[in-house]
Amino acid sequence: MRFLTAGESHGKCLMGILEGIPANLKIDIAQVNAELARRQQGYGRGGRMAIESDTVEFVAGIRGGVTTGAPIGFFIANKDYENWAGIIGADASQLDERKVTAVRPGHADLAGCIKYAQSDARNILERASARETAAKVVIGAIAKQYLAELGIRVTSFTTGIDCVFSMYDCEERGCNQCGHAFEDIIARADRSPVRAMSPYCEKEFMKYIDEAKKSGDTLGGEVRVIARGMPVGIGSHIAFDKRLEYKIAGHLMAIPSVKGVAVGNIFTLMGGDGSQTHDALSYDKNGKIVRKTNNAGGIEGGISNGEDIVVMLGIKPVPSVPKGIPSIDIQAKQNAISARERGDTCVVPAAGVVAEAVLAYALAEAIAETLGGDHMAEVRERMRLKRDAF
Ligand code: EPS
């Protein structure tokens, strides 16, 4: 399984090709669009989301709502393109319009201009923009439907906005309502504008976002993504690139603004004893293998162990900081305040939705590698054998 995306933030459209989805998977296109709509939500989003109403157009690999096994091709139109016609695109002639030379620290602007020998950071930022995550959400939405057929679901919620406030200290700050049961997350996260798990955290997160917006700043944070229903035995200990953490972390780290990925509770358990950290095993009265904890986040030795896959993501603040950051102008060759590009105050709630999509894709890729299968009946049967081995 593999994919490729293309498209500039203000170009005509985003596009993608996903190869390796078996034949005979029924695709619910309304569900794909519902995932795109989820990505557009989130308190702290900027003006662009009011312009767009992202909708997928599939152009290959699906016939009558069912996959054929051929590569799946799709487009998502950028409505904002009409405001950029003549400036972006193969036929653009107004190349000096909306030029960006006061590069934004934290964005790809400067390193990209040097690497690709560009004098206008527009040629870098258009592609570096997190707008590309809309295409990833389509790919992830298909992956989610593949996983659902195999009894696997993925969800997420916001655990922290601003680096100083995470779920690990929300209780200390007075929250005693943050339940983290899988079904609760599915039921509650999307009902919150910041995808928080308690009214207390929701209010706090929104307060931080309001304050940042008022002061012309941006905020990062943390999200937790969870997959339930994974069988034992996806991934492998035998080679670095077959380890499940390798796939998961690589794909999640490729989401713009993600700077950290942790599987399980590793950072909260640092310094703890091995005897307390590792998830003790026992048989229950029916002879089923059970664990009371899941500190390993569902993966041991690079192999899924049947528990929930639990991943934490650290997300940096958006580099398009309205009040600016001390920087340089690469055209004037002098110090300058970074360019003011329209952007979001906080993308953390949306990043959770993107991370679900990307985790779903990473798991689908690993499952396809382990099980193979040209069509869904074959994949379902192989999954049944995998589950029966446990
Ligand atoms: C985004 C669209 C972009 C940005 C944002 C994500 O739209 P515009 O640049 O027109 O405002 O809001 O991009 C970034 C976070 C970034 O760093 O470039 C989207 O569709 O998610």
Side-chain angles (χ1 to χ4, degrees):
M1 201 174 281
R2 58 180 177 163
F3 72 86
L4 199 58
T5 70
E8 277 73 42
S9 181
H10 303 102
K12 228 176 208 165
C13 64
L14 299 163
M15 54 203 284
I17 299 178
L18 170 59
E19 189 193 4
I21 293 290
N24 299 340
L25 175 68
K26 202 170 165 306
I27 299 295
D28 181 343
I29 296 175
Q31 194 53 45
V32 177
N33 285 324
E35 292 289 344
L36 283 171
R38 287 179 74 219
R39 194 200 72 97
Q40 287 198 256
Q41 305 298 310
Y43 197 73
R45 293 287 256 159
R48 180 72 182 271
M49 291 304 104
I51 299 173
E52 304 295 341
S53 46
D54 292 336
T55 310
V56 69
E57 185 192 350
F58 287 109
V59 292
I62 302 175
R63 185 166 185 229
V66 179
T67 59
T68 61
I72 296 171
F74 66 86
F75 294 104
I76 306 162
N78 286 325
K79 286 195 178 161
D80 204 18
Y81 175 65
E82 62 183 55
N83 302 315
W84 291 78
I87 302 174
I88 302 288
D91 56 357
S93 54
Q94 296 144 254
L95 299 181
D96 282 333
E97 285 280 315
R98 311 202 55 170
K99 201 168 173 179
V100 175
T101 55
V103 292
R104 292 162 301 167
H107 216 286
D109 297 355
L110 179 61
C113 279
I114 295 170
K115 177 175 167 66
Y116 290 99
Q118 298 296 318
S119 54
D120 180 359
R122 173 74 50 207
N123 288 343
I124 303 301
L125 71 90
E126 284 290 329
R127 180 62 188 153
S129 167
R131 175 91 190 124
E132 190 254 359
T133 60
K136 282 196 168 143
V137 164
V138 171
I139 288 158
I142 295 170
K144 275 188 175 183
Q145 294 186 26
Y146 168 87
L147 294 181
E149 277 285 299
L150 303 173
I152 300 160
R153 292 177 297 160
V154 184
T155 190
S156 70
F157 66 101
T158 306
T159 55
I161 295 281
D162 198 354
C163 296
V164 295
F165 185 9
S166 92
M167 65 179 284
Y168 302 117
D169 56 22
C170 79
E171 255 175 55
E172 247 165 63
R173 284 169 172 256
C175 172
N176 55 8
Q177 308 147 344
C178 257
H180 302 135
F182 191 83
E183 302 300 337
D184 277 352
I185 300 167
I186 289 194
R188 289 166 71 177
D190 278 359
R191 290 214 304 260
S192 162
V194 280
R195 310 196 69 249
M197 282 303 291
S198 73
Y200 176 87
C201 284
E202 177 179 297
K203 211 165 122 227
E204 286 290 304
F205 293 168
M206 288 167 83
K207 193 177 83 194
Y208 277 89
I209 294 170
D210 288 342
E211 281 166 9
K213 189 167 185 182
K214 217 160 76 198
S215 64
D217 225 319
T218 60
L219 284 181
E222 276 180 5
V223 298
R224 176 180 276 220
V225 203
I226 306 144
R228 172 156 291 184
M230 281 288 279
V232 180
I234 302 302
S236 177
H237 64 289
I238 62 167
F240 77 94
D241 57 348
K242 295 202 161 36
R243 284 184 174 261
L244 194 52
E245 288 105 331
Y246 172 86
K247 277 194 191 302
I248 288 175
H251 283 298
L252 288 171
M253 286 292 275
I255 300 172
S257 291
V258 171
K259 292 295 259 185
V261 173
V263 177
N265 292 330
I266 182 63
F267 289 121
T268 43
L269 291 170
M270 286 254 261
D273 296 342
S275 58
Q276 300 303 310
T277 300
H278 296 297
D279 305 306
L281 291 162
S282 60
Y283 284 109
D284 71 7
K285 57 181 188 316
N286 302 315
K288 192 174 167 262
I289 299 169
V290 289
R291 296 174 183 83
K292 285 208 176 90
T293 55
N294 182 23
N295 290 329
I299 308 174
E300 288 171 308
I303 308 171
S304 62
N305 66 8
E307 301 291 335
D308 287 349
I309 304 287
V310 183
V311 190
M312 298 290 303
L313 267 70
I315 295 147
K316 72 181 179 186
V318 177
S320 303
V321 175
K323 70 178 176 192
I325 306 173
S327 182
I328 54 169
D329 188 311
I330 56 172
Q331 185 173 285
K333 298 226 179 306
Q334 62 189 28
N335 293 339
I337 295 298
S338 61
R340 211 196 145 121
E341 279 289 300
R342 178 184 60 196
D344 308 296
T345 307
C346 180
V347 293
V348 177
V353 175
V354 175
E356 281 179 30
V358 172
L359 179 65
Y361 172 78
L363 296 178
E365 188 189 275
I367 289 170
E369 200 172 293
T370 299
L371 301 183
D374 292 320
H375 58 86
M376 285 310 292
E378 206 165 54
V379 181
R380 275 192 300 268
E381 176 58 14
R382 291 177 188 182
M383 182 59 99
R384 190 185 64 75
L385 292 172
K386 251 307 169 239
R387 289 195 193 280
D388 283 355
F390 185 33

